[in-house]
Amino acid sequence: MSETPEPRGYLSQAWLVILLALVYGGALAGVQTKLQPMIDENKRLETYRQIPALVGIAESTDDAEIIIEQRQIEDDDGRKQKVYLALVDGKPQGWVLPAGGMGFADRIELLIGLDPAAETITGLWVLDQKETPGLGDLIRDEEFRSRFVGKSTGEHIEAKPEPKRSNEILTLTGATISSRSVAEIVNQTVERFKGALRREDTTPTSGKPDR
Amino acid sequence: MPSQGPTALERFVGGILPENPVYRQLLGMCPTLAVTGGMKPAMTMAGATAFVLISANVIVSLIRGLLKPHLRILVFTLTIATFVTIADLILKAVPALYPMSKELGPYVPLIIVNCLIISRCEICSSKQGLGIAMADGVGVSLGFALALGSIATVREILGSGTWFGQPVMPDGWANWGIMVLPPGAFLTLGLLLGGAEWIGQRREKRREKGKV
């Protein structure tokens, strides 16, 4: 193998790379199509497991008493959004909004818990992230997520290294962009849909649990 | 098929201990340090790496006659990246593996840059036949699993008092918190590497004495 490649056209050199890229691309598309429903189902189950804690239902509450309804809401521009309503004994406990947006490395997917009046954030959960290990991925930790709990939905949350005002949260050291991204995803989603949530009827639709 | 270089058996055995990717070649340090806080993530990583390594070895060995020398690394990387993406999707899709996929997070996509895989493509499968490439993939995967398992065993037992999540230490055992943190990975790896080197040198000496 000592012949030096002559620049006799890219195709004769690169046909294998191009062919492989096409074959691999096709194979990946196939695998993705096949597995996506299972991935979505895993995320759905995880969402349902997290909802009670996100809206502040006490752990001692019997699972059978908790009813979770999945609903579709629309913001003022007509954009649709899936939302979960958690009820105990027919009384609304709070909303959980799935949200997503760009982080530092890749998309971050969140679940945001809100009180029934959509005025306070009651919980935050990270469904998916690929932030830097050891720095940005600390957004998954309870310690960071709890910084959002109790914040008012009327204020724009900002991640600051030295939080002073009530709308500011402490940034993660070494992960400023990840922290800001999470705050921004929360802000955008909450601001867009809180009006629609307040208009939404919180009485249970039919009493049949959507499990 | 006339094939130069080690035979399938030599490749297989070599990958496990004599040429162990972690202890002898010091390759794949990123996952070795990062995911060995417990046996479950370590074995998930070992399994995912084995899948990628064996698949990439098979494909590269099959197309080795078509490889252009100056484009070979590109082809290796493309092949490895494809199988890593598939492994990542499988981990996310299988309900039993989903929690591990969340815990490992970006370390699964990072298998792409694990140089132990590309080194096997370069050293073995781009030069040797399918059977040898498969034996090599399985052997090196076992060696990698052994290395991750040994480090994870030490770290999980000392750091959490458990093994695969099951309590193994007597009541009243005080967990060494440092073992599950990054420094514990460096300490354990350093001590085990030193131990492996010591055993290797002693064996070498004994062999030399035997000859004389």
Side-chain angles (χ1 to χ4, degrees), chain A residues 1 5 12-17 20-21 24 28 31-32 35 38-39 42-43 46 125-131 133-134 140, chain B residues 59 63 66-71 74-75 78-79 82 85-86 88-90 92-95 98 102-103 105-107 109-110:
Chain A
M1 295 232 263
S12 67
Q13 294 293 325
W15 69 269
L16 182 66
V17 179
L20 281 178
Y24 289 158
L28 281 181
V31 173
Q32 169 96 36
L35 294 182
M38 293 170 75
I39 297 173
N42 281 336
K43 285 198 178 146
E46 190 186 357
W125 182 256
V126 180
L127 263 188
D128 202 4
Q129 59 87 27
K130 287 193 173 60
E131 301 304 286
R140 289 180 302 178
Chain B
I59 298 285
I63 59 170
L66 306 169
L67 288 176
K68 298 263 192 305
H70 63 297
L71 288 176
L74 185 56
V75 171
L78 200 62
T79 311
T82 305
T85 312
I86 293 174
D88 189 31
L89 288 171
I90 292 174
K92 280 196 179 132
V94 178
Y98 179 69
K102 281 209 83 175
E103 185 171 338
Y107 289 111
L110 280 175

CSV table of all heavy atoms in Angstrom, one decimal, chain A residues 1 5 12-17 20-21 24 28 31-32 35 38-39 42-43 46 125-131 133-134 140, chain B residues 59 63 66-71 74-75 78-79 82 85-86 88-90 92-95 98 102-103 105-107 109-110:
chain,number,residue,atom,x,y,z
A,1,MET,N,0.9,-1.2,0.0
A,1,MET,CA,0.0,0.0,0.0
A,1,MET,C,0.9,1.2,0.0
A,1,MET,O,1.0,2.0,1.0
A,1,MET,CB,-0.9,0.0,1.2
A,1,MET,CG,-1.9,-1.2,1.2
A,1,MET,SD,-3.5,-0.6,1.5
A,1,MET,CE,-3.7,-0.9,3.2
A,5,PRO,N,-2.3,8.7,-3.6
A,5,PRO,CA,-3.5,9.0,-4.3
A,5,PRO,C,-3.4,10.1,-5.2
A,5,PRO,O,-2.8,11.2,-4.9
A,5,PRO,CB,-4.5,9.3,-3.1
A,5,PRO,CG,-3.6,9.7,-2.0
A,5,PRO,CD,-2.4,9.0,-2.1
A,12,SER,N,-13.7,8.9,-7.3
A,12,SER,CA,-13.0,7.7,-7.3
A,12,SER,C,-12.3,7.5,-5.9
A,12,SER,O,-12.0,6.4,-5.5
A,12,SER,CB,-11.9,7.6,-8.4
A,12,SER,OG,-10.9,8.6,-8.1
A,13,GLN,N,-12.0,8.6,-5.2
A,13,GLN,CA,-11.4,8.5,-3.9
A,13,GLN,C,-12.4,8.3,-2.8
A,13,GLN,O,-12.2,7.5,-1.9
A,13,GLN,CB,-10.7,9.9,-3.6
A,13,GLN,CG,-9.5,10.2,-4.5
A,13,GLN,CD,-8.4,9.2,-4.3
A,13,GLN,OE1,-8.2,8.8,-3.2
A,13,GLN,NE2,-7.7,8.9,-5.3
A,14,ALA,N,-13.5,9.0,-3.0
A,14,ALA,CA,-14.4,9.1,-1.8
A,14,ALA,C,-15.7,8.3,-1.9
A,14,ALA,O,-16.6,8.4,-1.1
A,14,ALA,CB,-14.8,10.5,-1.5
A,15,TRP,N,-15.8,7.4,-3.0
A,15,TRP,CA,-17.1,6.8,-3.2
A,15,TRP,C,-17.5,5.9,-2.0
A,15,TRP,O,-18.6,5.8,-1.7
A,15,TRP,CB,-17.0,5.9,-4.5
A,15,TRP,CG,-16.1,4.7,-4.4
A,15,TRP,CD1,-14.8,4.7,-4.7
A,15,TRP,CD2,-16.5,3.4,-4.0
A,15,TRP,NE1,-14.3,3.4,-4.5
A,15,TRP,CE2,-15.3,2.6,-4.0
A,15,TRP,CE3,-17.7,2.8,-3.5
A,15,TRP,CZ2,-15.3,1.3,-3.6
A,15,TRP,CZ3,-17.6,1.5,-3.1
A,15,TRP,CH2,-16.5,0.8,-3.2
A,16,LEU,N,-16.5,5.3,-1.4
A,16,LEU,CA,-16.8,4.4,-0.3
A,16,LEU,C,-17.4,5.2,0.9
A,16,LEU,O,-18.4,4.8,1.5
A,16,LEU,CB,-15.6,3.6,0.2
A,16,LEU,CG,-15.8,2.7,1.3
A,16,LEU,CD1,-16.7,1.5,0.9
A,16,LEU,CD2,-14.5,2.1,1.9
A,17,VAL,N,-16.8,6.4,1.2
A,17,VAL,CA,-17.2,7.2,2.3
A,17,VAL,C,-18.7,7.7,2.0
A,17,VAL,O,-19.5,7.6,2.9
A,17,VAL,CB,-16.3,8.4,2.5
A,17,VAL,CG1,-16.8,9.3,3.6
A,17,VAL,CG2,-14.9,8.0,2.8
A,20,LEU,N,-21.1,4.7,2.3
A,20,LEU,CA,-21.2,4.3,3.7
A,20,LEU,C,-22.1,5.3,4.4
A,20,LEU,O,-23.0,5.0,5.2
A,20,LEU,CB,-19.9,4.2,4.4
A,20,LEU,CG,-19.1,2.9,4.2
A,20,LEU,CD1,-17.8,3.0,4.9
A,20,LEU,CD2,-19.9,1.7,4.6
A,21,ALA,N,-21.9,6.6,4.1
A,21,ALA,CA,-22.7,7.7,4.8
A,21,ALA,C,-24.2,7.5,4.5
A,21,ALA,O,-25.0,7.6,5.3
A,21,ALA,CB,-22.2,9.0,4.3
A,24,TYR,N,-25.4,4.1,6.2
A,24,TYR,CA,-25.5,4.4,7.7
A,24,TYR,C,-26.6,5.3,8.0
A,24,TYR,O,-27.4,5.1,9.0
A,24,TYR,CB,-24.2,4.9,8.2
A,24,TYR,CG,-23.0,4.0,8.3
A,24,TYR,CD1,-21.7,4.4,8.3
A,24,TYR,CD2,-23.2,2.6,8.3
A,24,TYR,CE1,-20.6,3.5,8.4
A,24,TYR,CE2,-22.2,1.7,8.3
A,24,TYR,CZ,-20.9,2.2,8.3
A,24,TYR,OH,-19.8,1.3,8.4
A,28,LEU,N,-29.7,4.3,10.4
A,28,LEU,CA,-30.0,5.1,11.6
A,28,LEU,C,-31.5,5.6,11.5
A,28,LEU,O,-32.2,5.5,12.5
A,28,LEU,CB,-29.1,6.3,11.7
A,28,LEU,CG,-27.7,6.0,12.3
A,28,LEU,CD1,-26.9,7.2,12.4
A,28,LEU,CD2,-27.8,5.3,13.6
A,31,VAL,N,-33.6,2.6,12.5
A,31,VAL,CA,-33.6,2.3,13.9
A,31,VAL,C,-34.3,3.4,14.7
A,31,VAL,O,-35.1,3.0,15.6
A,31,VAL,CB,-32.1,2.2,14.4
A,31,VAL,CG1,-32.0,2.1,15.9
A,31,VAL,CG2,-31.4,1.1,13.7
A,32,GLN,N,-34.1,4.6,14.3
A,32,GLN,CA,-34.8,5.7,15.0
A,32,GLN,C,-36.3,5.6,15.0
A,32,GLN,O,-37.0,5.7,16.0
A,32,GLN,CB,-34.3,7.0,14.4
A,32,GLN,CG,-35.1,8.2,14.9
A,32,GLN,CD,-34.5,9.0,16.0
A,32,GLN,OE1,-33.3,9.1,16.1
A,32,GLN,NE2,-35.3,9.5,16.9
A,35,LEU,N,-37.5,2.7,17.2
A,35,LEU,CA,-37.3,2.8,18.6
A,35,LEU,C,-38.0,4.0,19.2
A,35,LEU,O,-38.2,4.1,20.4
A,35,LEU,CB,-35.8,2.8,19.0
A,35,LEU,CG,-35.1,1.5,18.7
A,35,LEU,CD1,-33.6,1.6,19.1
A,35,LEU,CD2,-35.7,0.3,19.4
A,38,MET,N,-40.9,3.6,21.7
A,38,MET,CA,-40.5,3.0,23.0
A,38,MET,C,-39.8,4.1,23.8
A,38,MET,O,-40.0,4.2,25.0
A,38,MET,CB,-39.5,1.9,22.8
A,38,MET,CG,-40.1,0.7,22.1
A,38,MET,SD,-38.9,-0.5,21.6
A,38,MET,CE,-38.5,-1.2,23.2
A,39,ILE,N,-39.0,5.0,23.2
A,39,ILE,CA,-38.3,6.1,23.9
A,39,ILE,C,-39.4,7.0,24.5
A,39,ILE,O,-39.3,7.4,25.7
A,39,ILE,CB,-37.3,6.8,23.0
A,39,ILE,CG1,-36.2,5.8,22.6
A,39,ILE,CG2,-36.7,8.0,23.7
A,39,ILE,CD1,-35.3,6.4,21.5
A,42,ASN,N,-41.1,5.5,27.5
A,42,ASN,CA,-40.2,5.6,28.7
A,42,ASN,C,-40.3,7.0,29.3
A,42,ASN,O,-40.4,7.1,30.5
A,42,ASN,CB,-38.8,5.3,28.3
A,42,ASN,CG,-38.5,3.8,28.2
A,42,ASN,OD1,-39.2,3.0,28.8
A,42,ASN,ND2,-37.5,3.4,27.4
A,43,LYS,N,-40.3,8.0,28.4
A,43,LYS,CA,-40.4,9.4,29.0
A,43,LYS,C,-41.7,9.6,29.6
A,43,LYS,O,-41.8,10.3,30.6
A,43,LYS,CB,-40.1,10.4,27.8
A,43,LYS,CG,-38.6,10.4,27.5
A,43,LYS,CD,-38.3,11.7,26.7
A,43,LYS,CE,-36.8,11.7,26.4
A,43,LYS,NZ,-36.4,12.3,25.1
A,46,GLU,N,-41.8,8.1,32.9
A,46,GLU,CA,-41.1,8.8,33.9
A,46,GLU,C,-41.8,10.1,34.3
A,46,GLU,O,-41.8,10.5,35.4
A,46,GLU,CB,-39.7,9.2,33.3
A,46,GLU,CG,-38.8,9.8,34.3
A,46,GLU,CD,-37.5,10.3,33.6
A,46,GLU,OE1,-37.3,10.1,32.4
A,46,GLU,OE2,-36.7,10.9,34.4
A,125,TRP,N,-38.0,19.2,36.8
A,125,TRP,CA,-37.4,17.9,36.6
A,125,TRP,C,-36.8,17.9,35.2
A,125,TRP,O,-37.3,18.5,34.3
A,125,TRP,CB,-38.4,16.8,36.7
A,125,TRP,CG,-37.8,15.4,36.5
A,125,TRP,CD1,-37.9,14.6,35.4
A,125,TRP,CD2,-37.1,14.7,37.5
A,125,TRP,NE1,-37.3,13.5,35.6
A,125,TRP,CE2,-36.7,13.5,36.9
A,125,TRP,CE3,-36.7,14.9,38.8
A,125,TRP,CZ2,-36.0,12.5,37.6
A,125,TRP,CZ3,-36.0,14.0,39.5
A,125,TRP,CH2,-35.6,12.8,38.9
A,126,VAL,N,-35.6,17.3,35.1
A,126,VAL,CA,-34.9,17.3,33.8
A,126,VAL,C,-35.1,15.9,33.2
A,126,VAL,O,-34.7,14.9,33.8
A,126,VAL,CB,-33.4,17.5,34.0
A,126,VAL,CG1,-32.7,17.5,32.6
A,126,VAL,CG2,-33.2,18.9,34.6
A,127,LEU,N,-35.9,15.9,32.1
A,127,LEU,CA,-36.2,14.6,31.4
A,127,LEU,C,-35.0,14.1,30.6
A,127,LEU,O,-34.7,13.0,30.4
A,127,LEU,CB,-37.4,14.8,30.5
A,127,LEU,CG,-38.7,14.4,31.0
A,127,LEU,CD1,-39.7,14.4,29.9
A,127,LEU,CD2,-38.8,13.0,31.6
A,128,ASP,N,-34.3,15.1,29.9
A,128,ASP,CA,-33.3,14.7,29.0
A,128,ASP,C,-32.3,15.9,28.8
A,128,ASP,O,-32.7,17.0,28.8
A,128,ASP,CB,-33.9,14.4,27.6
A,128,ASP,CG,-32.9,13.5,26.8
A,128,ASP,OD1,-31.9,13.1,27.3
A,128,ASP,OD2,-33.3,13.3,25.6
A,129,GLN,N,-31.0,15.5,28.8
A,129,GLN,CA,-30.0,16.6,28.7
A,129,GLN,C,-28.7,15.9,28.2
A,129,GLN,O,-28.5,14.7,28.5
A,129,GLN,CB,-29.8,17.3,30.0
A,129,GLN,CG,-29.4,16.4,31.2
A,129,GLN,CD,-27.9,16.2,31.3
A,129,GLN,OE1,-27.1,17.0,30.9
A,129,GLN,NE2,-27.5,15.1,31.8
A,130,LYS,N,-27.8,16.6,27.6
A,130,LYS,CA,-26.5,16.1,27.3
A,130,LYS,C,-25.4,17.2,27.6
A,130,LYS,O,-24.5,17.4,26.9
A,130,LYS,CB,-26.4,15.8,25.8
A,130,LYS,CG,-27.1,14.5,25.4
A,130,LYS,CD,-26.8,14.0,24.1
A,130,LYS,CE,-27.4,12.6,23.8
A,130,LYS,NZ,-28.8,12.6,23.8
A,131,GLU,N,-25.6,17.9,28.7
A,131,GLU,CA,-24.7,18.9,29.1
A,131,GLU,C,-23.4,18.3,29.6
A,131,GLU,O,-23.3,17.1,29.8
A,131,GLU,CB,-25.3,19.8,30.3
A,131,GLU,CG,-26.7,20.4,29.9
A,131,GLU,CD,-26.6,21.3,28.7
A,131,GLU,OE1,-26.0,22.4,28.8
A,131,GLU,OE2,-27.1,20.9,27.6
A,133,PRO,N,-20.5,16.7,31.3
A,133,PRO,CA,-20.4,15.9,32.6
A,133,PRO,C,-19.7,16.6,33.7
A,133,PRO,O,-18.6,17.2,33.4
A,133,PRO,CB,-19.7,14.6,32.1
A,133,PRO,CG,-19.8,14.6,30.7
A,133,PRO,CD,-19.9,16.0,30.2
A,134,GLY,N,-20.2,16.6,34.9
A,134,GLY,CA,-19.5,17.2,36.0
A,134,GLY,C,-19.8,18.7,36.2
A,134,GLY,O,-19.5,19.2,37.3
A,140,ARG,N,-29.4,18.4,36.7
A,140,ARG,CA,-30.3,17.3,37.1
A,140,ARG,C,-30.4,17.3,38.6
A,140,ARG,O,-31.4,16.7,39.1
A,140,ARG,CB,-29.7,16.0,36.6
A,140,ARG,CG,-29.8,15.8,35.2
A,140,ARG,CD,-29.3,14.4,34.8
A,140,ARG,NE,-27.9,14.3,35.2
A,140,ARG,CZ,-27.2,13.2,35.1
A,140,ARG,NH1,-27.7,12.1,34.5
A,140,ARG,NH2,-25.9,13.1,35.5
B,59,ILE,N,-17.7,-4.7,10.5
B,59,ILE,CA,-17.9,-3.9,9.3
B,59,ILE,C,-16.6,-3.6,8.7
B,59,ILE,O,-16.3,-3.7,7.4
B,59,ILE,CB,-18.7,-2.7,9.6
B,59,ILE,CG1,-20.1,-3.0,10.1
B,59,ILE,CG2,-18.8,-1.8,8.4
B,59,ILE,CD1,-21.1,-3.5,9.1
B,63,ILE,N,-15.0,-4.5,4.8
B,63,ILE,CA,-14.7,-3.6,3.8
B,63,ILE,C,-13.2,-3.2,3.7
B,63,ILE,O,-12.9,-2.3,3.1
B,63,ILE,CB,-15.5,-2.3,3.9
B,63,ILE,CG1,-15.2,-1.6,5.3
B,63,ILE,CG2,-17.0,-2.5,3.8
B,63,ILE,CD1,-15.8,-0.2,5.4
B,66,LEU,N,-11.5,-2.4,0.4
B,66,LEU,CA,-11.9,-1.2,-0.3
B,66,LEU,C,-11.4,0.1,0.3
B,66,LEU,O,-11.5,1.2,-0.3
B,66,LEU,CB,-13.5,-1.1,-0.3
B,66,LEU,CG,-14.2,-2.3,-0.8
B,66,LEU,CD1,-15.7,-2.2,-0.5
B,66,LEU,CD2,-14.0,-2.5,-2.3
B,67,LEU,N,-10.7,0.0,1.5
B,67,LEU,CA,-10.3,1.2,2.2
B,67,LEU,C,-9.2,1.9,1.4
B,67,LEU,O,-8.2,1.3,1.0
B,67,LEU,CB,-9.8,0.8,3.6
B,67,LEU,CG,-10.8,0.4,4.6
B,67,LEU,CD1,-10.2,0.0,5.9
B,67,LEU,CD2,-11.8,1.5,4.9
B,68,LYS,N,-9.3,3.2,1.3
B,68,LYS,CA,-8.2,4.0,0.8
B,68,LYS,C,-7.4,4.5,2.0
B,68,LYS,O,-8.0,4.9,3.0
B,68,LYS,CB,-8.8,5.3,0.1
B,68,LYS,CG,-9.6,5.0,-1.1
B,68,LYS,CD,-8.8,5.1,-2.4
B,68,LYS,CE,-9.7,5.0,-3.6
B,68,LYS,NZ,-10.6,3.9,-3.7
B,69,PRO,N,-6.1,4.3,2.0
B,69,PRO,CA,-5.3,4.5,3.2
B,69,PRO,C,-5.5,5.9,3.8
B,69,PRO,O,-5.6,6.0,5.0
B,69,PRO,CB,-3.8,4.4,2.6
B,69,PRO,CG,-3.9,3.6,1.4
B,69,PRO,CD,-5.3,3.8,0.8
B,70,HIS,N,-5.6,6.9,2.9
B,70,HIS,CA,-5.8,8.3,3.5
B,70,HIS,C,-7.2,8.6,4.0
B,70,HIS,O,-7.4,9.6,4.6
B,70,HIS,CB,-5.3,9.3,2.6
B,70,HIS,CG,-6.1,9.4,1.3
B,70,HIS,ND1,-6.2,8.3,0.4
B,70,HIS,CD2,-6.9,10.4,0.8
B,70,HIS,CE1,-6.9,8.7,-0.6
B,70,HIS,NE2,-7.4,9.9,-0.4
B,71,LEU,N,-8.2,7.7,3.7
B,71,LEU,CA,-9.5,8.0,4.1
B,71,LEU,C,-10.0,7.0,5.2
B,71,LEU,O,-11.1,7.0,5.6
B,71,LEU,CB,-10.5,7.9,2.9
B,71,LEU,CG,-10.4,9.1,1.9
B,71,LEU,CD1,-11.3,8.8,0.8
B,71,LEU,CD2,-10.7,10.4,2.6
B,74,LEU,N,-11.5,8.3,8.5
B,74,LEU,CA,-12.8,8.8,8.3
B,74,LEU,C,-13.9,7.7,8.3
B,74,LEU,O,-14.9,7.8,8.9
B,74,LEU,CB,-12.8,9.6,7.0
B,74,LEU,CG,-14.1,10.3,6.6
B,74,LEU,CD1,-14.4,11.3,7.7
B,74,LEU,CD2,-13.8,11.0,5.3
B,75,VAL,N,-13.5,6.6,7.6
B,75,VAL,CA,-14.4,5.5,7.5
B,75,VAL,C,-14.6,4.8,8.9
B,75,VAL,O,-15.7,4.5,9.3
B,75,VAL,CB,-13.9,4.4,6.5
B,75,VAL,CG1,-14.8,3.2,6.6
B,75,VAL,CG2,-14.0,5.0,5.1
B,78,LEU,N,-16.8,7.1,11.0
B,78,LEU,CA,-18.2,7.1,10.5
B,78,LEU,C,-18.9,5.8,11.0
B,78,LEU,O,-20.0,5.8,11.6
B,78,LEU,CB,-18.2,7.1,9.0
B,78,LEU,CG,-19.4,7.5,8.2
B,78,LEU,CD1,-19.8,8.9,8.6
B,78,LEU,CD2,-19.2,7.4,6.7
B,79,THR,N,-18.2,4.7,10.9
B,79,THR,CA,-18.8,3.4,11.3
B,79,THR,C,-19.0,3.4,12.8
B,79,THR,O,-20.1,3.0,13.3
B,79,THR,CB,-17.8,2.3,11.0
B,79,THR,OG1,-17.4,2.4,9.6
B,79,THR,CG2,-18.4,0.9,11.2
B,82,THR,N,-21.9,5.6,13.9
B,82,THR,CA,-23.2,5.0,13.6
B,82,THR,C,-23.7,4.0,14.7
B,82,THR,O,-24.8,4.1,15.2
B,82,THR,CB,-23.2,4.3,12.2
B,82,THR,OG1,-22.7,5.2,11.2
B,82,THR,CG2,-24.5,3.7,11.8
B,85,THR,N,-24.6,5.7,18.0
B,85,THR,CA,-25.9,6.3,17.9
B,85,THR,C,-27.0,5.2,18.1
B,85,THR,O,-28.0,5.3,18.9
B,85,THR,CB,-26.2,7.0,16.6
B,85,THR,OG1,-25.0,7.8,16.4
B,85,THR,CG2,-27.4,7.8,16.7
B,86,ILE,N,-26.8,4.0,17.5
B,86,ILE,CA,-27.7,2.9,17.6
B,86,ILE,C,-27.7,2.4,19.1
B,86,ILE,O,-28.8,2.2,19.7
B,86,ILE,CB,-27.4,1.7,16.7
B,86,ILE,CG1,-27.6,2.2,15.2
B,86,ILE,CG2,-28.2,0.5,17.0
B,86,ILE,CD1,-27.1,1.2,14.2
B,88,ASP,N,-27.0,4.1,21.7
B,88,ASP,CA,-27.6,5.2,22.5
B,88,ASP,C,-29.1,5.1,22.5
B,88,ASP,O,-29.8,5.1,23.5
B,88,ASP,CB,-27.1,6.5,22.1
B,88,ASP,CG,-27.6,7.7,23.0
B,88,ASP,OD1,-27.7,7.4,24.2
B,88,ASP,OD2,-27.8,8.8,22.5
B,89,LEU,N,-29.6,4.9,21.2
B,89,LEU,CA,-31.1,4.7,21.0
B,89,LEU,C,-31.6,3.5,21.7
B,89,LEU,O,-32.7,3.5,22.4
B,89,LEU,CB,-31.4,4.7,19.6
B,89,LEU,CG,-31.3,6.0,18.8
B,89,LEU,CD1,-31.4,5.8,17.3
B,89,LEU,CD2,-32.3,7.0,19.3
B,90,ILE,N,-30.9,2.4,21.7
B,90,ILE,CA,-31.3,1.1,22.3
B,90,ILE,C,-31.4,1.3,23.8
B,90,ILE,O,-32.4,1.0,24.5
B,90,ILE,CB,-30.4,0.0,22.0
B,90,ILE,CG1,-30.5,-0.4,20.5
B,90,ILE,CG2,-30.7,-1.3,22.8
B,90,ILE,CD1,-29.6,-1.4,20.0
B,92,LYS,N,-31.9,4.0,25.4
B,92,LYS,CA,-33.0,4.9,25.8
B,92,LYS,C,-34.4,4.2,25.6
B,92,LYS,O,-35.3,4.5,26.2
B,92,LYS,CB,-33.0,6.1,24.9
B,92,LYS,CG,-32.0,7.2,25.3
B,92,LYS,CD,-32.4,8.5,24.6
B,92,LYS,CE,-31.4,9.6,25.0
B,92,LYS,NZ,-30.9,10.3,23.9
B,93,ALA,N,-34.4,3.2,24.7
B,93,ALA,CA,-35.7,2.6,24.3
B,93,ALA,C,-36.1,1.4,25.2
B,93,ALA,O,-37.2,1.2,25.5
B,93,ALA,CB,-35.7,2.1,22.9
B,94,VAL,N,-35.1,0.6,25.7
B,94,VAL,CA,-35.4,-0.6,26.5
B,94,VAL,C,-35.7,-0.1,27.9
B,94,VAL,O,-34.9,0.5,28.5
B,94,VAL,CB,-34.2,-1.6,26.5
B,94,VAL,CG1,-34.5,-2.8,27.4
B,94,VAL,CG2,-33.9,-2.0,25.1
B,95,PRO,N,-36.9,-0.4,28.4
B,95,PRO,CA,-37.3,0.1,29.7
B,95,PRO,C,-36.3,-0.3,30.8
B,95,PRO,O,-36.1,0.6,31.7
B,95,PRO,CB,-38.7,-0.6,29.9
B,95,PRO,CG,-39.2,-0.9,28.6
B,95,PRO,CD,-38.0,-1.2,27.7
B,98,TYR,N,-33.4,2.1,30.6
B,98,TYR,CA,-33.6,3.6,30.5
B,98,TYR,C,-33.0,4.3,31.7
B,98,TYR,O,-32.4,5.4,31.5
B,98,TYR,CB,-35.1,3.8,30.4
B,98,TYR,CG,-35.5,5.3,30.3
B,98,TYR,CD1,-35.2,6.0,29.2
B,98,TYR,CD2,-36.2,5.9,31.3
B,98,TYR,CE1,-35.5,7.4,29.1
B,98,TYR,CE2,-36.5,7.2,31.3
B,98,TYR,CZ,-36.2,7.9,30.2
B,98,TYR,OH,-36.5,9.3,30.1
B,102,LYS,N,-30.1,7.4,31.5
B,102,LYS,CA,-30.2,8.7,32.0
B,102,LYS,C,-29.0,9.0,32.9
B,102,LYS,O,-28.4,10.1,32.9
B,102,LYS,CB,-31.4,8.8,32.9
B,102,LYS,CG,-32.7,9.1,32.1
B,102,LYS,CD,-33.7,9.9,32.9
B,102,LYS,CE,-33.4,11.4,32.9
B,102,LYS,NZ,-34.4,12.2,33.5
B,103,GLU,N,-28.5,7.9,33.6
B,103,GLU,CA,-27.4,8.1,34.5
B,103,GLU,C,-26.1,8.3,33.7
B,103,GLU,O,-25.3,9.2,34.1
B,103,GLU,CB,-27.2,6.9,35.5
B,103,GLU,CG,-26.1,7.2,36.5
B,103,GLU,CD,-26.1,6.2,37.6
B,103,GLU,OE1,-27.1,5.5,37.8
B,103,GLU,OE2,-25.0,6.0,38.2
B,105,GLY,N,-25.9,9.4,30.7
B,105,GLY,CA,-26.0,10.7,29.9
B,105,GLY,C,-25.1,10.8,28.7
B,105,GLY,O,-25.1,10.0,27.9
B,106,PRO,N,-24.3,11.8,28.7
B,106,PRO,CA,-23.5,12.1,27.5
B,106,PRO,C,-22.3,11.1,27.4
B,106,PRO,O,-21.7,11.0,26.4
B,106,PRO,CB,-22.9,13.5,27.7
B,106,PRO,CG,-23.0,13.7,29.2
B,106,PRO,CD,-24.1,12.9,29.7
B,107,TYR,N,-22.1,10.2,28.4
B,107,TYR,CA,-21.0,9.3,28.2
B,107,TYR,C,-21.2,8.2,27.2
B,107,TYR,O,-20.3,7.6,26.6
B,107,TYR,CB,-20.6,8.6,29.6
B,107,TYR,CG,-20.0,9.6,30.6
B,107,TYR,CD1,-20.6,10.0,31.7
B,107,TYR,CD2,-18.7,10.1,30.3
B,107,TYR,CE1,-20.0,10.9,32.5
B,107,TYR,CE2,-18.1,11.0,31.1
B,107,TYR,CZ,-18.8,11.4,32.2
B,107,TYR,OH,-18.2,12.3,33.1
B,109,PRO,N,-22.9,8.8,24.1
B,109,PRO,CA,-22.4,9.3,22.8
B,109,PRO,C,-20.9,9.5,22.8
B,109,PRO,O,-20.3,9.4,21.7
B,109,PRO,CB,-23.1,10.7,22.8
B,109,PRO,CG,-24.2,10.6,23.7
B,109,PRO,CD,-24.0,9.6,24.7
B,110,LEU,N,-20.3,9.7,24.0
B,110,LEU,CA,-18.8,9.8,24.0
B,110,LEU,C,-18.0,8.6,23.7
B,110,LEU,O,-16.8,8.6,23.5
B,110,LEU,CB,-18.4,10.4,25.4
B,110,LEU,CG,-18.6,11.9,25.6
B,110,LEU,CD1,-18.2,12.3,27.0
B,110,LEU,CD2,-17.7,12.7,24.6
